Amino acid sequence: EDRVVVKPNTTPDLGRAVSAGSGFLFTGRLSDEKGVLLLLDAWVASGLDGVERLVIAGDGPLRAEVERRAAGMGSVVVVGALTPEQVRDWRTATAVGVFPSTWYEAMSAAPESFACGRPVVATRIGGLADVVDDTVGWSVEPRIDALAGALRGAVDPVERQRRGSAARQRFELEFSPAVLLRRQLAAYAAAIDEVG
């Protein structure tokens, strides 16, 4: 166990977003395990539909169902698959990233939000549970009521700003390319030392 080193994937430093942004952003495959239908259920339960905007970016087997449900809502926008540049633009245009996974989830997308200084609403699943806490966002169980409560909490502009600043700081300390390069080189050096 002492010979295993875990290093997250690197995330480009997009720089802190200039504006505060508005609304929420889901990016990911439109499939059961990514929790997009859970998110839509929680969005209705939160009472935020028609008050805040929810942007859903991605494609997948549930796209038709997501578009059908979104058409009956007041402020859900489905933008489909995006280029990495378009995802970055949406990350800076919106205020909060949402990762409502219902199955094991890697953690690469949350640090992308952190890089922009955006807090995250996430379910406590897989790698997300290791990365997102109540300092840098809202971490909840994958249930409609829990996610709806977190979405409501994430509307508060003071909390958005406070947790967004903490998210940017966590990115700088743990996920920036320079930090991860140093960790990678240190792991190589340790392995070389061990084999002599």
Side-chain angles (χ1 to χ4, degrees):
E1 189 176 297
D2 62 330
R3 298 173 70 191
V4 175
V5 175
V6 177
K7 182 194 76 66
N9 292 329
T10 188
T11 298
D13 187 351
L14 308 177
R16 181 187 296 271
V18 176
S19 71
S22 64
F24 296 80
L25 175 65
F26 167 94
T27 57
R29 183 167 161 76
L30 304 185
S31 59
D32 283 331
E33 69 276 6
K34 293 295 186 178
V36 66
L37 297 183
L38 169 66
L39 173 58
L40 290 174
D41 289 339
W43 188 252
V44 171
S46 73
L48 295 177
D49 190 42
V51 178
E52 287 270 331
R53 180 176 61 174
L54 169 62
V55 177
I56 297 178
D59 203 350
L62 294 178
R63 181 167 179 175
E65 173 68 8
V66 169
E67 288 177 336
R68 184 189 66 74
R69 290 180 62 178
M73 297 181 179
S75 59
V76 177
V77 180
V78 181
V79 295
L82 302 177
T83 66
E85 293 76 22
Q86 291 170 320
V87 171
R88 284 195 289 273
D89 290 345
W90 276 112
R91 283 202 201 290
T92 57
T94 50
V96 180
V98 186
F99 303 95
S101 294
T102 59
W103 191 247
Y104 183 83
E105 178 63 62
M107 60 180 185
S108 59
E112 291 175 12
S113 293
F114 295 171
C116 297
R118 298 301 191 226
V120 166
V121 171
T123 49
R124 246 180 244 124
I125 298 287
L128 286 171
D130 296 327
V131 174
V132 180
D133 57 30
D134 290 336
T135 304
V136 296
W138 295 260
S139 178
V140 298
E141 295 301 319
R143 297 188 326 264
I144 293 171
D145 61 332
L147 188 56
L151 292 167
R152 284 191 298 271
V155 170
D156 182 335
V158 173
E159 284 301 307
R160 281 181 176 175
Q161 198 282 326
R162 183 177 70 80
R163 296 180 200 213
S165 292
R168 174 63 193 182
Q169 184 175 30
R170 182 163 299 170
F171 171 80
E172 291 171 352
L173 294 174
E174 298 180 23
F175 298 105
S176 72
V179 166
L180 293 178
L181 176 60
R182 284 195 299 272
R183 287 174 64 180
Q184 184 81 42
L185 294 174
Y188 289 157
I192 290 167
D193 286 346
E194 187 169 315
V195 296

